[in-house]
Amino acid sequence: MSSQFTFFTLPNLHALCPFSGSTNPHYAKASAESSQWISSFKIFSDKKLAFFKNSGAELLCSHVFYYTGYEQLRTCCDFVNLLFTIDEISDDQNGADAALTGHVFINALRDSDFDDGSILCSMAKEFRTRLVGMGPACYRRYLKNCEDYIDAVGKEAHYREHGIVLDLEPFQHLRRENSAVRTCFGLFGLTLGLDLPDEVANHVVMMRMHLAAVDMVCWSNDLYSYNMEQSMGHHTNNILTVLMKAKNLDLQGAADYVGVHFKVLMDQFLEDKKRLPSWGAEMDARVAQFVMASESWVVGNLNWSFETPRYFGSQRQKVKDTMVVTLYSKRE
């Protein structure tokens, strides 16, 4: 239902976000070394590699993990490079083959002896050595998040292959996983240098806050990336497309809905922050750090979206000032 539109207006999500952001002082060094690392595997053409470097994924790490040290930031940059590798390989695969690709990554993370001879396996095994500082409970949950991500990538490939647009609720569940946001949240134990036991991390209030923060990132990403995706003919994996179908909205109505829902999620997150129980002074201090890390992702993702050329190209400052997005022509 977007064909009659030549532009749409973004809701001002920054105005709904009370968190403060920053950038990591180690970004330049960590980004350069991580880029060199992925380039050394020679898995991409020069064009693909240039596209990735221009996409700003490592800059995203600087925004959302601004509080962490050099080694931890470098590890996060390596992880987004790995995700890009998996995404690029699976983009041209059907659901079954995409799942097989993903499980090479999972097997390499789980078993240091696993080796199928692939470049992806070599990358994953090298990356695994950078996770030694993560506490056991956080590492276990991180692996589970990675498995859920891989399963979701396979499902997304199937839906893309068959042109299937999910209803709102199943799409929300899929998007949390195939966006890889939960896997990135899974790195908090590493970036904070803290472990969090399952009974705390999985507490109902903590989990509600976790999912609210993840959804704020996913919904805002889909809002900002819609123009780029529609120009490439990619429609099935975006919340605006889902809302237009499920709620019988036009494009502007779907964009407005994202703004309304973002506020609902933010209000829920802030109310739950007040409801957190106490686990004792030491554990409460850890919990506060994990909450801060979630907040850093929400605001960092918003700030990065208007700094990277990934979504709005050379017009990003104008879009930020006016909130008006002029739709790109369809690419042939």
Side-chain angles (χ1 to χ4, degrees):
M1 298 179 65
S2 63
S3 58
Q4 72 270 36
F5 283 82
T6 58
F7 69 91
F8 69 102
T9 303
L10 299 171
N12 189 349
L13 303 187
H14 273 94
L16 303 173
C17 182
F19 311 137
S20 298
S22 187
T23 54
N24 195 298
H26 305 292
Y27 163 67
K29 182 182 178 185
S31 173
E33 294 195 359
S34 189
S35 291
Q36 186 177 19
W37 177 69
I38 190 175
S39 298
S40 70
F41 290 95
K42 302 187 184 337
I43 195 170
F44 301 119
S45 66
D46 290 343
K47 184 178 179 181
K48 286 267 190 180
L49 199 58
F51 171 78
F52 174 65
K53 289 180 178 179
N54 289 334
S55 71
E58 292 159 351
L59 180 62
L60 173 64
C61 289
S62 177
H63 278 280
V64 300
F65 297 118
Y66 69 82
Y67 54 84
T68 200
Y70 164 73
E71 288 294 339
Q72 292 84 0
L73 181 64
R74 163 67 200 278
T75 300
C76 294
C77 289
D78 286 356
F79 183 57
V80 297
N81 280 327
L82 258 176
L83 292 178
F84 173 73
T85 303
I86 295 167
D87 190 53
E88 282 299 304
I89 294 171
S90 62
D91 263 356
D92 297 324
Q93 295 178 320
N94 60 32
D97 289 341
L100 289 174
T101 294
H103 282 97
V104 170
F105 166 65
I106 293 298
N107 290 335
L109 285 187
R110 283 203 171 276
D111 182 2
S112 59
D113 294 326
F114 174 77
D115 191 350
D116 72 342
S118 67
I119 296 176
L120 177 59
C121 181
S122 296
M123 293 179 71
K125 284 165 72 72
E126 285 192 22
F127 173 73
R128 186 178 189 270
T129 66
R130 303 192 63 86
L131 299 175
V132 291
M134 192 185 292
C138 282
Y139 187 64
R140 186 171 58 250
R141 291 193 299 271
Y142 168 73
L143 286 179
K144 178 62 167 61
N145 288 337
C146 287
E147 288 181 344
D148 291 343
Y149 163 70
I150 293 305
D151 288 343
V153 166
K155 290 176 182 176
E156 179 195 338
H158 171 78
Y159 297 141
R160 183 176 62 244
E161 185 183 0
H162 296 281
I164 298 171
V165 177
L166 293 176
D167 289 333
L168 182 55
E169 186 173 351
F171 177 80
Q172 287 186 95
H173 290 291
L174 178 72
R175 196 73 185 104
R176 288 168 182 164
E177 309 302 343
N178 73 5
S179 65
V181 174
R182 294 194 72 201
T183 65
C184 292
F185 277 38
L187 291 172
F188 290 167
L190 180 78
T191 59
L192 295 168
L194 298 170
D195 207 10
L196 206 61
D198 288 344
E199 60 267 26
V200 176
N202 296 332
H203 186 277
V204 62
V205 179
M206 283 287 284
M207 187 53 64
R208 267 204 315 264
M209 293 179 71
H210 166 76
L211 292 179
V214 168
D215 285 350
M216 280 189 276
V217 174
C218 291
W219 282 57
S220 57
N221 266 357
D222 280 9
L223 175 71
Y224 297 147
S225 67
Y226 176 81
N227 192 21
M228 175 184 68
E229 291 175 7
Q230 66 83 27
S231 72
M232 296 187 292
H234 298 167
H235 295 285
T236 59
N237 191 47
N238 190 290
I239 189 63
L240 295 187
T241 300
V242 171
L243 288 170
M244 284 188 277
K245 177 187 173 187
K247 302 286 186 180
N248 195 29
L249 298 170
D250 60 23
L251 177 57
Q252 187 60 59
D256 293 342
Y257 190 102
V258 170
V260 171
H261 189 64
F262 188 94
K263 185 178 187 306
V264 170
L265 292 168
M266 180 62 75
D267 290 346
Q268 177 186 309
F269 182 94
L270 295 174
E271 284 301 312
D272 276 336
K273 187 176 178 180
K274 298 174 186 176
R275 295 190 186 104
L276 281 169
S278 175
W279 290 276
E282 181 182 352
M283 190 57 67
D284 290 353
R286 291 191 189 188
V287 167
Q289 288 295 292
F290 277 80
V291 171
M292 177 278 295
S294 296
E295 294 172 352
S296 300
W297 250 94
V298 174
V299 67
N301 176 66
L302 295 181
N303 291 340
W304 166 79
S305 296
F306 290 96
E307 186 173 337
T308 177
R310 180 182 180 89
Y311 298 140
F312 305 119
S314 62
Q315 298 297 304
R316 56 192 180 277
Q317 187 59 50
K318 181 179 180 182
V319 172
K320 185 177 182 180
D321 293 339
T322 65
M323 292 285 110
V324 175
V325 177
T326 301
L327 291 180
Y328 299 139
S329 300
K330 298 289 192 298
R331 299 182 191 177
E332 296 301 328

